[in-house]
Amino acid sequence: MLKIVTVVGARPQIIKAAALSRAIRNSFSNEIEEIIIHTGQHYDANMSQVFFEELGIPNPHINLNIGSASHGKQTAQIIHDIEKVLLSEKPDFIVLFGDTNSTLAGAIAASKIHIPIVHIEAGLRSFNKSMPEEINRIMCDHASTLLFVPTQTGIKNLEREGFTTGTAAPYTADHPGVFHCGDIMFDNLVHFSEMAGQKTDIMQTLDLKENEFVLCTIHRDNNTDSPERLNQIISAMCYIAETMQLKIVIPLHPRTSKIIESKLPKDIYNRLTTNNNIHLIPPVSYLEMIMLEKNSCLILSDSGGVQKEAYFFKKPLVVARPETEWIEIIENGAGIIADADELKIIESVKYFMNAGHLEFPDVFGDGHAAEFICRTMLDQKK
Ligand code: UD1
Ligand code: UDP
C-alpha cells in the first residue's frame, strides 16, 4: 500500500484535492491510502466545508486550524504543525497542490525530513516575484521529487530552470521526475459539469439568463490591497453594468468583501451596491460557480482557477492582472490581459462582446490527470 499525505488549505486546493481523492476511491483504493491534512488557511464554511460536502471529499483526518495571519506567521505555524504529522504518519509521499502558503509550508516541512514531495500544478510561472504565489511555487518545485505539470508552457518553464523531462526512475529531489499530465481542475469539470445544472438553482435564484451576464471574481492581494487598482477594477464593473447595461455577478472572496466595505470610497461603493444589474454575492459553491461560468457571456477575473475554467467552458476572458501563468489562453485569442486598468478592461469587454467565433484548442489535457498522477506515484513503489 502506498501511503500519501495530501495537504489542502485554500479553496482551490480543496477543489483540486477532490479530483485526486475521487481517482483514488474509484480506481486505486486497494493500492493507495490517503491521509488528508487541512491546514485551516481557509475556514469559513463557504470557503472550505461546502466543497468537502459537495464534491464528496473525505473529511480531513487532521485540521491544523491555522486561520489567517501574516505570511511569515501563517507559513511558520503550518510548517511546525505539518512536521509533527509527517513524523508520526511517515508517508511515502506528501502531495501538494498549487502555490499557496500551505503549499510552501508543506514543502519546507517535508523536504527537511526527507519525505518526497509530489507537486501538482508544477511549472507555472508569472515571472513576477512580487506575487507571493510565484515564490511559493518556485520553492516548492525545486524541493519536489515528482512534478506534475498541467501545460507544455509549464514544462518549458521548468526546463529553463534546469529540470529535465524524460529522465529515468528512481526519482529523488536531486533527480526529479517531471511529467506533463494535463490539468487536474479539468478532471473536475469533466466530472461535475453535467450534474451542476440538476443540483443547483443559482440561475433561477439570481434570475439570470444564458449568455446575458458577466461573471467576475477578484481576490489577488495586489488588487485588493491597492486602493488605486481596486478602484479601477470596480469602476470598470460599474461602467459595464451602468453604460453597457450588462448584468454582472460577483461572488466576493472574503478578503475582497472586507476591503470593499472598509476602504472603498463611498461614491464607488454606492455605485457598486445600488445598481440592479450588479449581483454582489458571498462565495458560491463549486457547482454553483461552474453553472455561473458555463452560462456567462464573459468572465473577468484575477483568479488562477477561474481563468482556466473560463477556457474550459469556451468563454472569453479578461484578466485583471498584469500577467498570467495560463499564457495559452491569451495566445489562442480567448483572453486579454487588461491588468487593473479601467479603460483596458472596458475596451476588452467591448471587443469580446462584438468578436465572432473564438478558438479554444485543447491545452489542458484529457480530464484524467488524477489517474495519471496516481499511477505514476505507484510506479515509484515498484
Ligand atoms: C490565498 C492564496 C492565493 C489563492 C487564494 C485562493 C496565499 C499566499 N494566497 O489567498 O494564492 O489564490 O487563497 O482563494 O496562500 N479570509 C476569511 N475567511 C476565510 C479565508 C480568508 O475571512 O475562510 C480572509 C481573512 O481576512 C484573510 C484574508 O481573507 O486575512 C486572506 O486570506 P489568505 O488565505 O491569507 O489569502 P487569500 O487572499 O485567500
Ligand atoms: N470558486 C468557487 N466559488 C467561488 C469562487 C471560486 O467555487 O465563489 C472556485 C472556482 O470555480 C475555481 C476555484 O474556486 O475552481 C478558484 O479558486 P480561487 O479563485 O479562490 O483561487 P486561485 O485559483 O486564484 O488560486
Side-chain angles (χ1 to χ4, degrees), residues 72-89:
K73 190 169 174 196
Q74 185 177 59
T75 310
Q77 191 66 46
I78 304 174
I79 295 172
H80 176 264
D81 290 6
I82 285 189
E83 183 182 59
K84 279 196 213 156
V85 180
L86 294 177
L87 286 171
S88 85
E89 294 292 346

Side-chain angles (χ1 to χ4, degrees), residues 11-12 15 51 185 217 219-220 251 253 283-286 289 293 303-306 309:
R11 167 169 69 188
I15 293 168
F51 302 107
M185 290 187 105
T217 75
H219 75 274
R220 290 278 152 222
H253 189 289
V284 293
S285 76
Y286 178 73
M289 187 64 183
E293 290 170 344
S303 156
V306 174
E309 288 165 353

Side-chain angles (χ1 to χ4, degrees), residues 152-169:
Q152 286 295 354
T153 305
I155 294 282
K156 285 194 204 114
N157 291 339
L158 289 176
E159 285 172 346
R160 210 176 299 116
E161 290 172 24
F163 287 89
T164 323
T165 47
T167 54

Side-chain angles (χ1 to χ4, degrees), residues 45-288:
N46 59 17
M47 294 295 287
S48 173
Q49 187 56 30
V50 64
F51 302 107
F52 286 91
E53 288 163 10
E54 193 178 58
L55 308 186
I57 311 167
N59 275 328
H61 298 73
I62 298 153
N63 192 323
L64 306 177
N65 289 313
I66 298 298
S68 304
S70 66
H71 286 286
K73 190 169 174 196
Q74 185 177 59
T75 310
Q77 191 66 46
I78 304 174
I79 295 172
H80 176 264
D81 290 6
I82 285 189
E83 183 182 59
K84 279 196 213 156
V85 180
L86 294 177
L87 286 171
S88 85
E89 294 292 346
K90 300 186 178 52
D92 294 297
F93 290 112
I94 184 171
V95 178
L96 302 170
F97 297 96
D99 51 22
T100 72
N101 287 347
S102 297
T103 315
L104 173 65
I108 294 175
S111 57
K112 297 293 174 74
I113 53 175
H114 309 137
I115 291 178
I117 297 168
V118 172
H119 189 200
I120 299 181
E121 236 183 42
L124 300 178
R125 296 292 181 265
S126 62
F127 303 99
N128 174 2
K129 286 192 181 139
S130 70
M131 272 183 93
E133 294 83 359
E134 183 76 347
I135 304 299
N136 293 347
R137 54 172 88 104
I138 291 173
M139 294 179 73
C140 184
D141 278 345
H142 283 263
S144 292
T145 290
L146 299 181
L147 293 90
F148 292 102
V149 187
T151 58
Q152 286 295 354
T153 305
I155 294 282
K156 285 194 204 114
N157 291 339
L158 289 176
E159 285 172 346
R160 210 176 299 116
E161 290 172 24
F163 287 89
T164 323
T165 47
T167 54
Y171 299 115
T172 65
D174 290 314
H175 176 67
V178 176
F179 304 92
H180 176 226
C181 69
D183 195 289
I184 199 162
M185 290 187 105
F186 188 44
D187 294 19
N188 276 334
L189 282 203
V190 170
H191 186 80
F192 289 111
S193 176
E194 283 304 309
M195 73 179 80
Q198 285 117 49
K199 293 207 169 170
T200 73
D201 53 10
I202 187 139
M203 292 290 293
Q204 292 82 338
T205 309
L206 298 179
D207 192 22
L208 297 170
K209 299 207 171 46
E210 191 181 349
N211 279 325
E212 291 186 5
F213 65 96
V214 171
L215 176 65
C216 178
T217 75
I218 297 294
H219 75 274
R220 290 278 152 222
D221 63 352
N222 71 331
N223 283 334
T224 60
D225 299 0
S226 153
E228 172 59 17
R229 293 178 65 86
L230 193 63
N231 289 357
Q232 295 261 335
I233 294 171
I234 298 206
S235 299
M237 290 176 188
C238 291
Y239 179 93
I240 294 164
E242 292 161 358
T243 310
M244 297 179 73
Q245 282 294 311
L246 279 167
K247 285 194 175 188
I248 306 193
V249 181
I250 315 168
L252 273 185
H253 189 289
R255 166 181 214 116
T256 318
S257 49
K258 283 176 190 166
I259 287 189
I260 281 180
E261 272 158 35
S262 60
K263 299 257 165 66
L264 203 65
K266 266 277 156 281
D267 57 327
I268 307 185
Y269 182 82
N270 288 340
R271 281 173 72 195
L272 182 71
T273 52
T274 56
N275 189 307
N276 287 338
N277 274 344
I278 300 180
H279 291 285
L280 216 50
I281 56 174
V284 293
S285 76
Y286 178 73
L287 295 185
E288 289 172 333

